Every structure is written in structure tokens, then in C-alpha cells.
Amino acid sequence: MASSPLLWPSTFIALDGPLGAGKTTFVRHLLRALGVQGRIKSPTFAVMEPYTVQGQAVSHFDFYRFDDAREWADAGFRDIFAAPGLKLAEWPGRAGALLPVPDWMLHIDTAGNDRREVTVHACTPHGVALLP
Ligand SMILES: Nc1ncnc2c1ncn2[C@@H]1O[C@H](COP(=O)(O)OP(=O)(O)O)[C@@H](O)[C@H]1O
Ligand SMILES: [Mg+2]
């Protein structure tokens, strides 16, 4: 089976928006749609939760509590971004200049209790090709 262009060779989606906007919820639904089964935890404390989807690596980051760039190198995150697969990152601004340019920058805003506004900025040629 040909894998999704999200999974191969490589896609990076950054998710921006205030606490409670729905970034983790969006990622959960995306991972479910790609076929991830079982519990999908918020990576707020672990910083990264790894998955394997259709044989490809998927990494879900939350940089909310991230404040040490050396932690980044120690944890091998740089290697993850250099390797194939799908990377999803909440609070990308808190990772400083360590992150590459995302293929999509996704902004989620609350628009009332049960409404959200999602804006997608495609920042790379691959990101543009992924647009519907
Ligand atoms: N599209 C949506 N519509 C309504 N409620 C949502 C939506 N997305 C998330 N929520 C609710 O908002 C709350 C916070 O969501 P969460 O995904 O944890 O936010 P974030 O990761 O941006 O901090 C949760 O209670 C969730 O059920
Ligand atoms: Mg979150």
C-alpha cells in the first residue's frame, strides 16, 4: 500500500494557538484517521510521544514546558527531525530556533465554546502540495 504523503518521505506540522484551543485534540483525530489505535496521550510532560503508522515514524511533540536547548540535543530530537516520517509539534515557539521551517503552520483559535477556527499556512513546497 502506498503510504500517505503525510508519512513519507517527511512532513512537519506545527500547531499554534492558546492553551485549550484544541491542538492536542486535532492531533488525536489526525492520528486516529491515520490508523493509530489505543491511547493517544498529550505529550505535555514527556515532551514527545512516538507512534508507528503504516511502518513510518510519527512523533507528537509539546514544547510547552521546554526551556533548555541542550535537552533538545540530549533527547535526540534533532535526529527525529532529520529522519523520515510525520512530526507534529505544539508550542513550536518554545523550542526556539531549533525547529526547522514547518510544512504547515496550523493556527487554532477558539470561536465560542464549541467552535474553532483553523488557519493553515503552507510554508514549503511540500506543504503547498499537501493543501487540499
Ligand atoms: N474543535 C473543537 N470543538 C470543541 N471543543 C474542542 C475542540 N477541540 C478541542 N476542544 C476541547 O477543548 C479542550 C482543550 O483541548 P486541547 O486539545 O487539550 O487543547 P490544547 O492542546 O490546544 O491546549 C478540550 O476539553 C477539548 O475537548
Ligand atoms: Mg495540548
Side-chain angles (χ1 to χ4, degrees):
M1 184 177 80
S3 60
S4 161
L6 276 178
L7 296 168
W8 181 265
S10 180
T11 303
F12 172 27
I13 299 176
L15 299 100
D16 205 12
L19 207 57
K23 300 178 290 298
T24 302
T25 303
F26 186 97
V27 170
R28 277 200 183 105
H29 283 269
L30 178 62
L31 295 182
R32 283 273 180 260
L34 287 171
V36 172
Q37 293 174 338
R39 183 141 179 256
I40 299 175
K41 285 192 282 183
S42 172
T44 307
F45 294 98
V47 184
M48 196 271 281
E49 291 289 340
Y51 302 90
T52 302
V53 178
Q54 297 168 31
Q56 304 303 330
V58 174
S59 308
H60 178 195
F61 297 89
D62 183 339
F63 291 106
Y64 188 71
R65 289 165 194 281
F66 194 79
D67 59 8
D68 183 355
R70 274 171 312 176
E71 197 183 323
W72 167 269
D74 294 348
F77 292 162
R78 208 186 289 274
D79 299 338
I80 293 173
F81 275 88
L86 173 62
K87 300 98 192 181
L88 301 148
E90 301 181 41
W91 298 99
R94 303 216 174 175
L98 292 165
L99 292 178
V101 173
D103 296 300
W104 279 10
M105 175 60 87
L106 214 125
H107 295 273
I108 306 181
D109 276 307
T110 51
N113 280 346
D114 57 356
R115 277 176 57 85
R116 298 293 186 271
E117 276 176 12
V118 180
T119 312
V120 179
H121 290 271
C123 309
T124 66
H126 178 54
V128 171
L130 286 174
L131 288 171

